[in-house]
Amino acid sequence: EEDSIIRVIAGDLEFLDYSTFNAQPTSTVEVLEDGNLFAAGVGTSLNFCEATTRIVKGDLISALRNSILSKQSKFEISDAGNVLLTDITRTVLEDQTTMDIFGGGNLQLLRSAYLLLGKNSEASVGNGGSALFGEDVVFDLLDHSSLRVDGGDISFYGDASLKAHLNSIGEVTSGGSILFSDNTQATLSDASRLTVFDSGSISFS
């Protein structure tokens, strides 16, 4: 049986109000050449199980109460593409899910968005991109999971909060910093840690 694939070239893949999308094991979703994967609206949900999602020169955008649940899946966003989670969206990446943003794009959460990385999952931002958490965002980093940024910053601002628990890691390399400002909260427990290498800093202001 051949693997299933959805591919959009030079256009958007959209999921709007009350739609449900299930990416089953070994399936692939591709949005190529300047298109976006966009999901928004009450009752909209995207579920990934052992699937691969690849976005080239475009963004992954989840907004307006949409939810994303991923288990044992991979997300690859390249060529200056970004991941934007905003407006009360809920995203759960667990069970060895990986999200790699490379090529200079950012991971950005705004306006009461929620992100959980759990059960040996990892998000990485490379090539000078940053991970930005602002405006009442909640980020849970749980159970041997990690957020790694190379060349950019991890920044919390505007009443955002971080909870790292059970051997989880927030790490910045290549000169970036970890920044907390504007009434943010950070809680680390059970051997979790924040680390900065290569002349960066950890700053609370």
Side-chain angles (χ1 to χ4, degrees), residues 1 7 13 18 40-41 48 86-87 105-106 108 113 122 126 128 131 136 142 170 177-178 183 189:
E1 183 175 341
R7 179 180 291 125
L13 177 59
Y18 297 101
F48 301 85
T86 185
D87 296 295
N106 298 318
Q108 185 169 20
E122 178 174 294
D136 299 299
L142 309 177
S177 297
I178 300 178
N183 199 36
S189 60

Side-chain angles (χ1 to χ4, degrees), residues 4-15:
S4 299
I5 185 167
I6 293 178
R7 179 180 291 125
V8 180
I9 300 174
D12 296 333
L13 177 59
E14 295 185 338
F15 302 95

Side-chain angles (χ1 to χ4, degrees), residues 11 19 27 31-32 68 74 88 95 102 122 133 138 146 152 198 200:
S19 60
S27 62
V31 183
L32 310 176
I68 295 175
K74 297 190 297 184
I88 324 180
D95 291 334
F102 47 96
E122 178 174 294
F133 304 85
V138 175
S146 60
D198 308 316

Side-chain angles (χ1 to χ4, degrees), residues 67-79:
S67 68
I68 295 175
L69 173 61
S70 174
K71 296 183 177 183
Q72 294 180 280
S73 294
K74 297 190 297 184
F75 295 85
E76 302 170 356
I77 296 92
S78 62
D79 290 47

Side-chain angles (χ1 to χ4, degrees), residues 35-107:
N36 301 312
L37 195 165
F38 179 77
V42 176
T44 304
S45 63
L46 278 60
N47 304 295
F48 301 85
C49 181
E50 299 178 37
T52 298
T53 300
R54 188 174 295 115
I55 302 173
V56 179
K57 295 184 179 179
D59 300 333
L60 168 59
I61 302 169
S62 179
L64 298 172
R65 299 180 185 272
N66 176 63
S67 68
I68 295 175
L69 173 61
S70 174
K71 296 183 177 183
Q72 294 180 280
S73 294
K74 297 190 297 184
F75 295 85
E76 302 170 356
I77 296 92
S78 62
D79 290 47
N82 303 287
V83 174
L84 175 61
L85 311 175
T86 185
D87 296 295
I88 324 180
T89 190
R90 177 181 175 85
T91 304
V92 176
L93 310 178
E94 59 184 4
D95 291 334
Q96 300 177 334
T97 290
T98 59
M99 176 177 282
D100 297 317
I101 304 167
F102 47 96
N106 298 318
L107 169 63

Side-chain angles (χ1 to χ4, degrees), residues 123-138:
S124 62
V125 184
N127 301 96
S130 293
L132 309 169
F133 304 85
E135 302 177 37
D136 299 299
V137 159
V138 175

